[in-house]
Amino acid sequence: MRPDLEIIQQWVEPGHHVLDLGCGDGTLLDFLQRERGASGFGLEINPDHITTCMGRGVSVIEQNLDTQGLDNFDDGMFDVVLMTQALQAVRRPDKVIEEMLRVGREGIVTFPNFAHWRLRWGLALSGRMPESNALPYKWYNTPNIRLCTFKDFEALCRQKGIRIKSRRVVDGQHQNSWLARLWPNLLGEIAIYRITRENP
Amino acid sequence: MPDSLPSDSVGLVSPQTIHFNAPIDLACGQSLENYDLVVETYGTLNADASNAILICHALSGHHHAAGYHSMEERKPGWWDSCIGPGKPIDTNRFFVVSLNNLGGCHGSTGPGSVNPSTGKLYGPDFPVITVADWVKSQARLADHLGIQQWAAVVGGSLGGMQALQWSLDFPERVRHAVVIASTPRLSAQNIAFNEVARQAITSDREFHEGRYYEHDVLPRRGLMLARMVGHITYLSDASMGEKFGRELREEAYKFGFDAEFQVESYLRYQGERFSESFDANTYLLMTRALDYFDPAYEHGGDLSKALAPAQCEYLVLSFSTDWRFSPERSEEMVNAMISARKKVSYAEIDAPWGHDAFLIPTPRYTDIFTAYMDRVAREVGA
């Protein structure tokens, strides 16, 4: 199992009702259903992923976040709303985060850090848009249209009154190194945030 | 006529008639003292009777869903593309049951059957049947076959409505409900089209208030018109355009009102053929069953409340160019299922053929249907 999913599953409790935005082939939801006794839905737009989900017994809805939002989900109907590596690909990440915390008590968000030293270094040296393992596209064909840094994301949360319950910063191999803990915005490649509007 | 049967066909099949002696009370307040259902089955029921699939037919459908009745039969059953060895509903794994519904005209008790209380054909006296009535009669069929729970109830269009109704009326008897190209209720426009079809039939001089059998005539003209208008709603503008465009049967306009455009002669042909094989009273009944279907009605229009008793998992599929029961209607159903906290999967399949797309195997449709049914089979150990 992918190490980031390993971290996420620890935050989902048995019986939790979960919504996974951009659920891919349903690996995470399948694991949460079987191993953690969770229930829930995935939203996806990739036809092959949707078929795979259906074949493995993951409830999946073909729904585009950009055009359809989450209007069809009731307030607070989920315990956890997940979004792994998809925040940077939606048109309005700020709206999506608000919607996540409308339909769910807690959100778990992961995204690539655009302030990672290798990206900074690449841009500084070559003057070209950086590419990396986490961001393997060209500037003109990338689905990642809303890249941000950890600092950007945390500023957005502050501005919206969203509380960050915890944050794990990992490198490209999803290892949690002490260096990344020390200088996350420089040395962390991917962050896993646990956010809520509820008070501690 | 096939020279030899295709390897992915269920092969030669024959229908059987099952007689039910216990009276059945209908939603309209009347009851039928006894009735027949004509049934076809494909595949083998396993020891614990867990691998049974019920196929529910649409407006003009019947029990003959797959395979051939004889080597002389021109075409296989109406859903042969999806039922057979290695097909989405794999008859190597599932026991498939397909019936002609009550009120039908393919052998099950309907307007063309003898009314035991008068000794004459029912004709217009046959009670108006609802989707819930059909489900009730299908449950008795399940009892008869020794099936306590369906692995899945599957249907397209009006058939999808029956699958949905099953999940509400007999929640513990349905593991999965597959609802394809359907809707939780007809729109005013849908009812309007049905009304035009009914008016076409009832205004035919040969209709005789539905007692045409007694006059030894058939309201062919009316039934043909009904089918023509219905057929338009099954296709998309694009698919009609691609198939016929503005193509003429001959080179130039004739400045008259005969069928000059190809689309005109196609519709006339379809209508005529249908009018020779279908019963007008059955057509009236089927369209009314469509009109009345609205499980949310008893719950103040709240479909998610109506869904409360359901225990099954749902697969809902819609087709992009279906304007009869558009993707929005399926999404309405899916959203109510989400709200009612039911398990549901949904996909909108890109297909150019309008409502008819549910009968046509396109790669994505087949992939999804196969993946889902494969998982159902694994779940029930089939």
Side-chain angles (χ1 to χ4, degrees):
Chain A
M1 151 160 266
R2 261 166 50 196
D4 56 336
L5 305 188
E6 185 66 46
I7 294 169
I8 290 167
Q9 63 96 8
Q10 296 166 11
W11 293 337
V12 175
E13 286 167 27
H16 265 174
H17 201 43
V18 177
L19 178 66
D20 189 353
L21 308 179
C23 67
D25 64 7
T27 303
L28 178 58
L29 272 176
D30 187 37
F31 180 84
L32 293 176
Q33 277 176 197
R34 284 188 295 108
E35 304 296 323
R36 306 292 293 170
S39 62
F41 295 100
L43 303 192
E44 185 49 66
I45 51 173
N46 178 309
D48 295 333
H49 284 339
I50 290 170
T51 304
T52 307
C53 285
M54 287 180 181
R56 69 188 342 170
V58 165
S59 293
V60 61
I61 311 281
E62 181 167 354
Q63 184 165 333
N64 188 326
L65 276 176
D66 279 338
T67 54
Q68 295 162 281
L70 294 177
D71 285 351
N72 51 334
F73 294 95
D74 300 333
D75 291 3
M77 74 179 292
F78 295 99
D79 298 294
V80 181
V81 182
L82 303 167
M83 197 172 192
T84 58
Q85 302 295 85
L87 186 74
Q88 74 282 356
V90 297
R91 213 173 286 164
R92 289 296 299 267
D94 55 336
K95 297 246 165 79
V96 170
I97 289 166
E98 291 215 326
E99 278 292 274
M100 284 176 81
L101 294 181
R102 177 184 67 79
V103 303
R105 291 193 295 111
E106 188 176 305
I108 297 174
V109 183
T110 79
F111 59 90
N113 178 23
F114 203 64
H116 183 255
W117 70 269
R118 216 178 288 125
L119 299 174
R120 297 191 199 198
W121 185 246
L123 181 61
L125 278 189
S126 69
R128 307 277 306 267
M129 283 300 281
E131 291 167 33
S132 70
N133 288 336
L135 297 166
Y137 297 94
K138 299 286 178 198
W139 65 272
Y140 47 80
N141 66 6
T142 180
N144 302 316
I145 54 171
R146 293 287 186 263
L147 292 160
C148 69
T149 71
F150 297 167
K151 279 187 178 172
D152 288 329
F153 181 78
E154 288 169 23
L156 179 67
C157 288
R158 265 197 308 280
Q159 182 202 321
K160 293 197 172 294
I162 292 167
R163 189 166 67 85
I164 295 170
K165 281 176 89 170
S166 52
R167 181 189 71 183
R168 297 281 190 90
V169 175
V170 294
D171 64 20
Q173 277 68 51
H174 298 97
Q175 301 303 314
N176 189 348
S177 73
W178 65 272
L179 275 170
R181 276 200 297 276
L182 203 55
W183 290 296
N185 206 40
L186 185 65
L187 300 176
E189 263 191 281
I190 292 169
I192 307 164
Y193 283 93
R194 199 176 171 195
I195 55 175
T196 185
R197 281 197 186 281
E198 290 175 354
N199 294 317
Chain B
M1 166 181 71
D3 287 334
S4 62
L5 295 167
S7 62
D8 62 352
S9 166
V10 297
L12 288 176
V13 295
S14 48
Q16 50 172 318
T17 302
I18 299 170
H19 185 71
F20 294 85
N21 251 326
I24 185 167
D25 294 328
L26 305 170
C28 64
Q30 298 185 54
S31 59
L32 294 172
E33 284 311 303
N34 55 67
Y35 55 95
D36 290 340
L37 292 177
V38 175
V39 176
E40 276 180 20
T41 67
Y42 323 113
T44 314
L45 189 64
N46 61 9
D48 58 353
S50 63
N51 69 334
I53 305 278
L54 177 67
I55 306 293
C56 302
H57 71 73
L59 202 165
S60 60
H62 43 69
H63 54 279
H64 186 33
Y68 297 83
H69 281 164
S70 73
M71 295 302 284
E72 279 68 51
E73 197 171 39
R74 210 168 49 85
K75 276 186 186 172
W78 59 269
W79 218 10
D80 196 76
S81 60
C82 290
I83 304 167
K87 290 178 183 171
I89 299 172
D90 189 342
T91 49
N92 288 332
R93 306 170 84 183
F94 291 117
F95 176 66
V96 181
V97 178
S98 173
L99 78 158
N100 182 214
N101 276 326
L102 275 182
C105 55
H106 292 89
S108 292
T109 300
S113 310
V114 175
N115 180 347
S117 61
T118 63
K120 289 203 235 164
L121 301 185
Y122 276 107
D125 301 329
F126 196 85
V128 171
I129 299 277
T130 65
V131 169
D133 293 333
W134 282 332
V135 167
K136 198 191 243 187
S137 68
Q138 291 160 2
R140 291 194 182 176
L141 173 61
D143 295 340
H144 173 87
L145 296 169
I147 296 159
Q148 183 45 43
Q149 187 189 52
W150 299 103
V153 179
V154 183
S157 193
L158 177 55
M161 296 176 185
Q162 292 160 60
L164 182 61
Q165 189 76 45
W166 255 101
S167 71
L168 310 181
D169 291 353
F170 298 97
E172 70 293 343
R173 302 191 70 174
V174 186
R175 283 189 81 92
H176 293 267
V178 180
V179 182
I180 306 171
S182 196
T183 173
R185 70 180 76 82
L186 259 59
S187 67
Q189 190 193 47
N190 293 144
I191 296 171
F193 275 113
N194 282 348
E195 172 58 5
V196 173
R198 283 190 294 267
Q199 283 295 319
I201 290 169
T202 56
S203 60
D204 187 321
R205 276 172 45 193
E206 311 282 34
F207 183 65
H208 298 289
E209 309 286 320
R211 301 193 189 282
Y212 42 89
Y213 322 103
E214 294 167 27
H215 295 78
D216 224 12
V217 291
L218 291 172
R220 283 208 181 85
R221 193 98 209 132
L223 196 52
M224 171 183 155
L225 283 176
R227 182 59 169 183
M228 283 170 76
V229 72
H231 206 96
I232 296 169
T233 69
Y234 305 149
L235 305 177
S236 70
D237 190 18
S239 66
M240 263 192 171
E242 193 181 322
K243 203 164 179 179
F244 309 108
R246 293 181 49 84
E247 211 177 304
L248 294 168
R249 298 178 66 203
E250 287 171 35
E251 271 174 29
Y253 293 159
K254 292 204 275 189
F255 299 95
F257 300 103
D258 276 342
E260 290 185 36
F261 291 92
Q262 288 293 4
V263 66
E264 293 175 300
S265 74
Y266 170 80
L267 279 180
R268 287 185 191 192
Y269 171 75
Q270 290 293 334
E272 270 164 22
R273 227 183 46 173
F274 186 75
S275 73
E276 284 154 16
S277 61
F278 208 83
D279 179 70
N281 283 319
T282 290
Y283 202 88
L284 298 181
L285 287 174
M286 296 283 168
T287 56
R288 218 21 149 195
L290 277 163
D291 293 352
Y292 284 166
F293 181 71
D294 183 7
Y297 182 71
E298 289 166 29
H299 301 269
D302 187 338
L303 185 59
S304 66
K305 275 193 190 145
L307 286 162
Q311 297 173 17
C312 67
E313 277 186 48
Y314 293 100
L315 171 63
V316 178
L317 298 176
S318 69
F319 297 92
S320 55
T321 57
D322 183 353
W323 58 278
R324 182 180 170 87
F325 300 150
S326 67
E328 286 73 24
R329 315 311 307 282
S330 284
E331 282 157 25
E332 197 181 316
M333 198 166 11
V334 169
N335 290 343
M337 289 164 181
I338 291 170
S339 213
R341 315 222 163 184
K342 304 301 167 187
K343 286 193 158 193
V344 51
S345 286
Y346 169 68
E348 178 190 323
I349 291 151
D350 233 334
W353 297 287
H355 188 58
D356 261 357
F358 86 88
L359 296 166
I360 300 167
T362 43
R364 187 171 181 219
Y365 180 28
T366 307
D367 285 353
I368 283 183
F369 205 177
T370 304
Y372 193 88
M373 294 311 294
D374 171 63
R375 178 241 161 166
V376 173
R378 278 185 277 123
E379 205 180 275
V380 298

